[in-house]
């Protein structure tokens, strides 16, 4: 199932929390060889995890992590602004309607359905909070995954060649894309909405009414 929770809520789910940060260490440090920090518990965390971001997490039936993403509004400090601004050719992306998505991580036992569910969740956030775009940095290995899921971004800047290429992209919300991703994930619209409401409930409706 999909869960939406802020960093301040993670401690309520210690198995989910521990397995997510350990899976991040496996993916980013061990497999991709990124220069990330792994602590004495084997967890990969960075300064943006300390900013109380919103996480979308696929929780397996045993309570462990199956996949996750991290979201912060671009009105705050983000990885793109702090570390990849050169890819934007001097442009600055700062809007309450654009959120940055980082640390897209799939658990060690994940599959294509879970990968699609992660993208579906990003779309649900956009739909509920009236976001126009999601912003993210990605490498060539993700291009195939995005294409397979049916949620490819608009590339707005790149650097490097081959496997070392890094790009910044924007994902727009399109209802037709949501239908494609629902099918890829094997999840009904009703179930996806129920998972979302379980996390946010009336708060989303109130935000919409106030807009």
């Amino acid at each position: 199932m999909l869960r939406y929770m802020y960093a301040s809520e993670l401690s309520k789910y210690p198995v989910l929390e521990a397995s997510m940060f350990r899976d991040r260490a496996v993916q980013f440090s061990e497999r991709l060889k990124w220069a990330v920090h792994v602590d004495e518990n084997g967890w990969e965390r960075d300064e943006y995890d300390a900013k109380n971001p919103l996480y979308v997490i696929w929780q397996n039936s045993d309570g462990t992590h199956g996949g996750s993403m991290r979201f912060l509004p671009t009105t705050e400090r983000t990885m793109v602004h702090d570390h990849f601004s050169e890819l934007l050719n001097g442009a600055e992306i700062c809007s309450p309607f654009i959120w940055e998505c980082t640390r897209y991580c799939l658990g060690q036992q994940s599959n294509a359905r879970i990968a699609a569910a992660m993208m579906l969740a990003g779309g649900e956030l956009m739909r509920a909070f009236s976001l126009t775009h999601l912003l993210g940095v990605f490498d060539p290995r993700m291009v195939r995954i995005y294409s397979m899921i049916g949620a490819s971004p608009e590339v707005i800047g790149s650097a490097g060649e081959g496997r070392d290429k890094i790009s910044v992209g924007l994902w727009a919300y399109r209802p037709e894309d949501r239908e494609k991703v629902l099918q890829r994930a094997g999840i009904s619209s009703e179930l996806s909405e129920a998972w979302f409401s379980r996390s946010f409930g009336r708060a989303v409706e109130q935000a919409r009414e106030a807009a």
Side-chain angles (χ1 to χ4, degrees):
M1 67 175 293
L2 285 169
R3 286 191 176 275
Y4 303 78
M5 65 180 71
Y6 288 93
S8 58
E9 302 173 276
L10 280 176
S11 60
K12 300 176 184 177
Y13 305 91
V15 172
L16 187 61
E17 178 185 34
S19 55
M20 179 179 74
F21 288 124
R22 286 172 184 155
D23 280 347
R24 278 178 35 173
V26 170
Q27 177 168 314
F28 299 120
S29 179
E30 297 179 20
R31 191 159 68 242
L32 296 177
K33 307 299 182 183
W34 289 6
V36 296
H37 174 70
V38 178
D39 67 16
E40 65 277 7
N41 297 314
W43 294 14
E44 187 280 310
R45 290 186 292 183
D46 65 14
E47 61 189 294
Y48 302 98
D49 292 301
K51 295 182 177 298
N52 199 31
L54 175 64
Y55 298 100
V56 170
I57 309 173
W58 180 272
Q59 183 176 14
N60 295 322
S61 58
D62 62 357
T64 61
H65 168 262
S68 56
M69 300 185 295
R70 179 180 69 188
F71 295 87
L72 283 168
T74 57
T75 51
E76 300 181 13
R77 284 184 53 210
T78 62
M79 290 191 73
V80 168
H81 293 160
D82 293 347
H83 301 287
F84 299 98
S85 59
E86 70 278 5
L87 301 182
L88 299 178
N89 298 314
E92 182 176 352
I93 297 177
C94 179
S95 169
F97 303 107
I98 302 176
W99 289 5
E100 182 188 66
C101 174
T102 55
R103 289 302 195 259
Y104 181 98
C105 177
L106 293 176
Q108 298 174 61
Q109 305 301 320
S110 291
N111 52 39
R113 177 173 177 256
I114 295 176
M118 290 291 96
M119 299 306 293
L120 171 63
E124 300 294 58
L125 287 174
M126 296 178 74
R127 190 166 69 118
F129 292 102
S130 300
L131 306 181
T132 60
H133 295 85
L134 294 178
L135 173 72
V137 177
F138 58 94
D139 56 26
R141 72 188 175 88
M142 294 301 301
V143 173
R144 179 183 60 83
I145 294 175
Y146 297 146
S147 178
M148 174 191 70
I149 294 170
S152 296
E154 172 193 356
V155 178
I156 58 176
S158 298
E161 300 292 337
R163 298 180 66 178
D164 295 326
K165 185 176 182 180
I166 296 292
S167 300
V168 175
L170 285 170
W171 285 259
Y173 177 75
R174 292 183 289 266
E176 59 271 24
D177 287 346
R178 182 175 185 269
E179 293 303 318
K180 294 176 185 177
V181 178
L182 281 168
Q183 292 179 14
R184 288 286 187 183
I187 297 171
S188 69
S189 178
E190 293 76 14
L191 181 57
S192 181
E193 291 173 5
W195 285 338
F196 194 92
S197 294
R198 181 175 181 175
S199 296
F200 292 105
R202 180 61 183 162
V204 172
E205 293 301 323
Q206 291 173 338
R208 286 174 174 168
E209 293 168 2

